[in-house]
Amino acid sequence: MGRAPCCEKMGLKKGPWTPEEDRLLIAHIKKHGHPNWRALPKLAGLLRCGKSCRLRWINYLRPDIKRGNFSKEEEETIINLHDMLGNRWSAIAARLPGRTDNEIKNVWHTHLKKKAAAVLKQNQKANNNNNNNSDDHKQNSKTTTAHDHRSSESAMSPQASSSGDELSSVTTGEINNNYNNSDQYCMDKYVKGDHEQNVDSFESFPVIDESFWTDTSLSENSSNLTSDFGGGLNEFAIGHHDYGGGMDFWYNILVTSGTDSLTLPF
DNA sequence: AAAATCTGCAACCGCGATGCC
DNA sequence: GGGCATCGCGGTTGCAGATTT
């Protein structure tokens, strides 16, 4: 409320950075670090606002930045992570060493979005054929009510409509039915916080005990599970992936702790 | 060859979260 | 507990180079 814009002061430079500015910024951060971005430009002799300095450092000057084209593996990783996490670019970047959220965001909008959309279309087509050809194709009752959250960009991610609290916009018990680029569909459920309520709402939620990890029947009737992991982890979620005609199953676990999350295939 | 259009990317903007006084 | 400062994130913009007409 009434907060002054960070570059309100006249005389602060905007636009592309010059090599000299880069040099000054690097030299200052190497010597003093960046305990206070706001104060940094003055101390470094730069006519920039702190925000601009921070962005330049994080997106371009950091020594561990990896430049150059994205590898196929990186692209696939981004597509898969975006499928699970939505537009949480910083979370995606955290899993791609040397890549920045800005870079990933750019590459998504320029390349991968189209790629993912094309594959999605292809998969939907294949899926339709599959459904038509196999009346007895088993559909979990939850699955039939799930919606394809890629039907529009804003709905592509669980939290796309959320402005902040990651994962929290997904209503309890909601299942997101994702179709991605490897002839699979997966159902990922994201829940944060009130796990009790969620468990209650999920009819077939199994007991997480020793047998849970070996019980193959779970893939038959429970395509999506979630629970509170405890021990500092806020949650985990499992999605099952159905290759081809539903014959081959495997699972991913999405473990989330605070703003960090990790996908573990098993 | 010039103009129009497209593409890629660096940088900016606004807002919510967090921390500090 | 409230207000302010700062940080970090995601959306958007603007520009330069590439491509097409």
Side-chain angles (χ1 to χ4, degrees), chain A residues 18-243:
Chain A
T18 64
E20 176 62 11
E21 287 176 313
D22 284 348
R23 195 187 61 73
L24 284 171
L25 182 58
I26 292 168
H28 181 84
I29 291 178
K30 269 187 179 170
K31 208 168 176 183
H32 304 101
H34 47 77
N36 185 336
W37 285 112
R38 183 96 170 171
L40 187 147
K42 208 169 190 178
L43 297 170
L46 288 160
L47 284 172
R48 296 272 181 175
C49 68
K51 207 169 183 175
S52 180
C53 293
R54 178 184 160 271
L55 207 65
R56 183 64 178 171
W57 174 256
I58 286 175
N59 286 337
Y60 208 85
L61 299 176
R62 246 169 41 193
D64 55 333
I65 290 281
K66 195 199 279 183
R67 313 295 308 175
N69 293 338
F70 280 67
S71 67
K72 222 170 175 73
E73 287 79 20
E74 285 177 313
E75 290 190 350
E76 281 171 10
T77 302
I78 293 169
I79 290 172
N80 288 332
L81 287 172
H82 186 272
D83 209 31
M84 291 189 297
L85 303 170
N87 295 357
R88 292 171 59 206
W89 307 117
S90 59
I92 294 172
R95 278 168 214 61
L96 288 165
R99 300 298 189 181
T100 69
D101 53 356
N102 205 37
E103 198 178 13
I104 291 169
K105 184 166 57 181
N106 281 335
V107 84
W108 171 262
H109 286 304
T110 53
H111 298 112
L112 303 182
K113 186 164 73 174
K114 292 172 202 160
K115 211 173 182 175
V119 173
L120 166 69
K121 211 172 176 182
Q122 204 178 327
N123 288 347
Q124 278 177 333
K125 211 172 169 184
N127 223 27
N128 284 343
N129 289 341
N130 218 21
N131 287 342
N132 290 341
N133 293 340
S134 57
D135 289 339
D136 60 342
H137 181 69
K138 199 164 178 294
Q139 288 282 335
N140 184 298
S141 62
K142 294 284 180 186
T143 309
T144 58
T145 60
H147 64 276
D148 179 3
H149 70 67
R150 280 193 163 187
S151 56
S152 69
E153 163 127 43
S154 66
M156 282 178 79
S157 61
Q159 78 301 340
S161 60
S162 166
S163 58
D165 205 5
E166 70 274 355
L167 307 179
S168 62
S169 72
V170 177
T171 54
T172 301
E174 176 182 352
I175 295 173
N176 294 290
N177 196 358
N178 303 340
Y179 295 82
N180 69 18
N181 65 331
S182 46
D183 270 337
Q184 69 188 32
Y185 74 85
C186 66
M187 299 176 62
D188 297 309
K189 184 180 176 72
Y190 302 92
V191 177
K192 184 177 185 178
D194 189 0
H195 119 82
E196 292 290 312
Q197 186 190 349
N198 172 64
V199 171
D200 289 341
S201 70
F202 200 82
E203 301 155 7
S204 55
F205 193 87
V207 177
I208 309 290
D209 59 18
E210 285 298 305
S211 67
F212 167 80
W213 303 103
T214 53
D215 184 359
T216 54
S217 71
L218 290 173
S219 61
E220 294 293 315
N221 56 17
S222 184
S223 54
N224 192 293
L225 318 166
T226 183
S227 184
D228 195 321
F229 230 31
L233 299 174
N234 290 348
E235 59 173 324
F236 78 93
I238 297 179
H240 95 246
H241 295 249
D242 179 357
Y243 285 93

